[in-house]
């Protein structure tokens, strides 16, 4: 690194990129909030549309499938038309689709508009992360990406609380209308502050990859969702899983042959990148699996309302925020290994505690245990992702962030489905007329499954290379 570059890094202040950081953070918060706000709204939508749960469930499933289909295209669209133009278009489409969702008259209309939402919002996160990463000096990326990670932590926590409050005190339409003012703010901030860049008119589209990627990722996610409803032996589950695996193998084969691939899979040749992304996957399975278990436990065993259950996660939100800020500073100073080990240890210790919960467990014990999951979540999620991105060449960033984002969608869905399927199996072993006290051990055993993935993540964390040992390519 030359003297001028070192001088620029030394004089860098986060204030200089704060407008860009806030723009991306608001956009990401909008998209992630909408992904989680639906979780506690399903029963209300069933009654509002006079439908059934299996039909309304597609409001969430279709959104996830559409996200998986569009995210792989984010890199090409960003290079071809410029990140700013695609970011603005994505926000605008998302806001318009949110308005349509609010006035939907049938379940079919709502599902269609949710797909439109995902097609708009799917590119916001990968483009936003890539942009912030590129404008941040290498020695400050931990702190900067830590700030950017705050909406990624708070949105899943605030989503159920906000959804429960809107449904209980206003109406279901507002779980979509709330997106309009936030989206308008995100759009005008992006118009004003998002860095402009010239599009590459010579950028060719990898047509085969563009066809195979949506088929592969959406089929894999559909198979995971279907397994949660009908089991892994269901013909639709097996069929979509087979289609997804075949399409994924063909996609990988095609991408490795292309000079300008849709997703830059050659980055997996980096041991640091591969090690880091596998660690991220194990951590995400453990985290998202335990989060859904916690929500279900509060409502099904403790008998809390959606709003009351949402309030239980306030300590998690507080420690998550602390963790992500402390984690960013530790990452910049000591590298990824220390912060990853501390974060995963916090998650693992909390899951050990949650493996002993029963219907009579005190609120303080439950909230404290889950608060330490929040601390671990804050320490690990964005810092591990930053380590993964730092292991990739900076010039490939637009093509790498869609890989990490797509994989996160698949792995978090896989973790939730696998752990819920395990919980359902444990509940089926109970007497038909079982009590809430008998439900406690089923949840406790399911937390042990989440703990298994957390322990794998801990083992992988121990063997991580620190930031000083990983060659930065900027």
């Amino acid at each position: 690194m030359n003297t001028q570059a070192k001088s620029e890094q030394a004089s860098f202040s986060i204030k200089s990129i704060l407008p860009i950081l806030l723009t991306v953070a608001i956009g990401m918060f909008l998209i992630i909030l909408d992904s989680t706000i639906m979780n506690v709204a399903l029963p209300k939508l069933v009654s509002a549309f006079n439908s059934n749960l299996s039909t309304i469930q597609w409001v969430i499933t279709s959104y996830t499938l559409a996200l998986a289909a569009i995210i792989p295209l984010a890199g090409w669209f960003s290079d071809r038309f410029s990140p700013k133009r695609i970011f603005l278009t994505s926000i605008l489409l998302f806001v318009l689709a949110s308005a349509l969702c609010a006035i939907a008259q049938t379940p079919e209309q709502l599902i269609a508009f949710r797909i439109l939402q995902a097609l708009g919002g799917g590119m916001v996160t990968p483009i936003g992360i890539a942009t912030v990463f590129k404008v941040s000096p290498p020695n400050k990326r931990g702190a900067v990406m830590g700030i950017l990670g705050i909406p990624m932590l708070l949105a899943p926590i605030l989503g159920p609380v906000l959804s429960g409050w809107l449904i209980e005190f206003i109406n279901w339409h507002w779980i979509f209308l709330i997106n309009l003012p936030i989206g308008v703010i995100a759009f005008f901030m992006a118009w004003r502050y998002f860095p402009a860049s010239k599009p590459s008119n010579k950028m060719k589209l990898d047509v085969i990859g563009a066809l195979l990627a949506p088929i592969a990722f959406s089929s894999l996610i559909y198979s995971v969702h279907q397994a949660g409803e009908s089991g892994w032996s269901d013909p639709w589950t097996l069929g979509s899983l087979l289609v997804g695996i075949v399409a994924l193998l063909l996609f990988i084969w095609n991408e490795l042959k292309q000079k300008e691939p849709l997703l830059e899979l050659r980055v997996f040749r980096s041991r640091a990148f591969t090690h880091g992304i596998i660690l991220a996957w194990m951590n995400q399975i453990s985290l998202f699996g335990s989060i859904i278990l916690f929500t279900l436990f509060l409502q099904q065993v403790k008998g809390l309302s959606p709003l009351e259950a949402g309030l239980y996660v306030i300590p998690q939100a507080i420690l998550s925020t602390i963790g992500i800020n402390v984690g960013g500073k530790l990452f910049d100073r000591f590298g990824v290994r220390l912060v990853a080990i501390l974060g995963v240890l916090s998650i693992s210790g909390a899951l050990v505690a949650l493996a002993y919960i029963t219907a009579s467990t005190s609120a303080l014990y439950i909230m404290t245990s889950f608060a330490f999951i929040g601390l671990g979540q804050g320490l690990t999620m964005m810092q591990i992702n930053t380590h993964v991105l730092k292991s990739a060449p900076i010039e490939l960033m637009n093509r790498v962030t869609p890989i990490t984002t797509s994989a996160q969608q698949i792995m978090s869905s896989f973790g939730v489905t696998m752990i819920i399927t395990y919980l359902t199996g444990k509940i089926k072993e109970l007497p038909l007329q079982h009590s809430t006290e008998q439900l406690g051990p089923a949840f406790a055993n399911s937390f042990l499954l989440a703990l298994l993935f957390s322990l794998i993540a801990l083992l992988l964390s121990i063997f991580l290379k620190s930031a000083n040992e990983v060659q930065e390519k900027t």
Side-chain angles (χ1 to χ4, degrees):
M1 186 180 295
N2 57 39
T3 304
Q4 182 180 356
K6 288 182 178 179
S7 176
E8 289 175 356
Q9 288 189 20
S11 62
F12 171 80
S13 170
I14 288 180
K15 291 182 180 179
S16 64
I17 62 167
L18 191 58
I20 301 173
L21 198 57
L22 288 176
T23 299
V24 174
I26 293 172
M28 288 174 56
F29 180 83
L30 174 69
I31 306 306
I32 299 170
L33 179 70
D34 196 79
S35 300
T36 59
I37 204 170
M38 295 297 299
N39 291 342
V40 298
L42 293 184
K44 181 64 178 179
L45 293 175
V46 169
S47 60
F49 287 101
N50 193 24
S51 184
N52 55 70
L53 186 59
S54 61
T55 298
I56 296 299
Q57 179 67 37
W58 275 96
V59 172
I60 293 179
T61 303
S62 62
Y63 183 89
T64 308
L65 294 177
L67 278 179
I70 196 64
I71 286 172
L73 298 173
W76 182 82
F77 274 105
S78 181
D79 289 338
R80 177 63 180 81
F81 299 103
S82 88
K84 180 173 183 176
R85 187 176 299 175
I86 298 303
F87 192 89
L88 285 167
T89 303
S90 297
I91 293 291
L92 181 60
L93 181 58
F94 184 87
V95 170
L96 292 175
S98 297
L100 291 173
C101 286
I103 61 174
Q105 301 297 308
T106 66
E108 291 75 20
Q109 288 181 6
L110 183 58
I111 291 168
F113 297 147
R114 283 282 288 172
I115 292 173
L116 193 61
Q117 262 192 322
L119 295 178
M123 297 190 193
V124 170
T125 297
I127 291 175
I129 290 176
T131 300
V132 171
F133 190 88
K134 285 189 286 188
V135 299
S136 307
N139 68 329
K140 297 292 183 180
R141 282 175 181 154
V144 173
M145 298 300 281
I147 295 173
L148 186 62
I150 292 176
M152 298 179 70
L153 294 177
L154 294 185
I157 296 168
L158 294 178
V161 180
L162 182 60
S163 179
W165 186 83
L166 291 172
I167 290 171
E168 189 170 337
F169 295 105
I170 308 181
N171 57 56
W172 68 267
H173 302 277
W174 275 93
I175 64 176
F176 299 109
L177 291 175
I178 194 68
N179 293 333
L180 273 61
I182 302 174
V184 169
I185 293 171
F187 181 86
F188 282 104
M189 286 192 68
W191 183 279
R192 175 69 177 82
Y193 297 115
F194 208 90
S197 60
K198 293 182 179 180
S200 177
N201 296 324
K202 297 180 180 179
M203 186 65 63
K204 295 181 180 179
L205 176 63
D206 172 16
V207 178
I208 297 177
L211 292 174
L212 288 173
I215 294 173
F217 292 124
S218 58
S219 296
L220 289 172
I221 288 183
Y222 175 77
S223 68
V224 170
H225 279 277
Q226 188 65 21
E229 295 182 8
S230 307
W232 288 102
S233 60
D234 177 71
W236 282 100
T237 302
L238 292 174
S240 58
L241 180 62
L242 180 61
V243 170
I245 291 174
V246 171
L248 181 62
L249 292 175
L250 290 173
F251 174 72
I252 293 172
W253 175 76
N254 175 74
E255 295 305 281
L256 294 177
K257 289 174 52 183
Q258 298 291 329
K259 290 183 178 179
E260 296 178 354
L262 190 71
L263 296 181
E264 188 48 81
L265 300 183
R266 296 178 184 88
V267 72
F268 281 96
R269 293 173 180 170
S270 164
R271 290 185 179 181
F273 180 90
T274 304
H275 187 163
I277 202 167
I278 293 174
L279 166 59
W281 293 345
M282 296 298 102
N283 195 47
Q284 285 161 4
I285 290 173
S286 175
L287 276 172
F288 287 100
S290 60
I291 288 171
I292 192 67
L293 280 176
F294 186 71
T295 303
L296 291 173
F297 177 84
L298 293 177
Q299 295 186 54
Q300 295 185 9
V301 180
K302 302 295 285 187
L304 302 180
S305 69
L307 179 57
E308 291 171 333
L311 295 176
Y312 263 64
V313 301
I314 290 177
Q316 180 204 3
I318 295 171
L319 285 191
S320 290
T321 305
I322 294 172
I324 200 165
N325 282 286
V326 172
K329 294 176 182 178
L330 289 175
F331 179 92
D332 287 334
R333 185 170 182 180
F334 300 106
V336 69
R337 186 192 294 120
L338 175 63
V339 69
I341 291 175
L342 291 176
V344 177
L345 275 175
S346 181
I347 296 168
S348 300
L351 288 172
V352 170
L354 289 169
Y356 290 94
I357 58 173
T358 65
S360 58
T361 300
S362 69
L364 179 61
Y365 183 96
I366 294 171
M367 285 191 289
T368 301
S369 299
F370 210 68
F372 277 95
I373 285 185
L375 177 62
Q377 185 181 12
L379 287 170
T380 59
M381 275 195 66
M382 207 61 195
Q383 314 315 327
I384 294 173
N385 286 341
T386 303
H387 167 74
V388 170
L389 294 177
K390 287 182 75 171
S391 305
I394 191 70
E395 67 272 10
L396 300 178
M397 198 54 53
N398 287 346
R399 301 303 177 99
V400 171
T401 49
I403 296 176
T404 57
T405 310
S406 298
Q408 180 175 332
Q409 285 288 327
I410 294 173
M411 288 300 164
S412 57
S413 296
F414 177 72
V416 168
T417 301
M418 179 176 55
I419 290 176
I420 292 302
T421 301
Y422 182 81
L423 172 65
T424 302
K426 288 295 180 182
I427 293 175
K428 286 181 179 179
E429 295 175 2
L430 299 175
L432 189 60
Q433 300 297 326
H434 54 265
S435 63
T436 54
E437 286 77 11
Q438 290 174 302
L439 277 175
F443 278 88
N445 287 329
S446 300
F447 277 116
L448 283 175
L449 181 58
L451 174 62
L452 174 62
F453 286 95
S454 186
L455 292 176
I456 295 173
L458 179 59
L459 182 63
L460 290 169
S461 299
I462 294 171
F463 294 99
L464 275 175
K465 291 185 177 181
S466 67
N468 294 331
E469 296 173 281
V470 177
Q471 182 181 5
E472 289 184 5
K473 299 180 180 180
T474 57

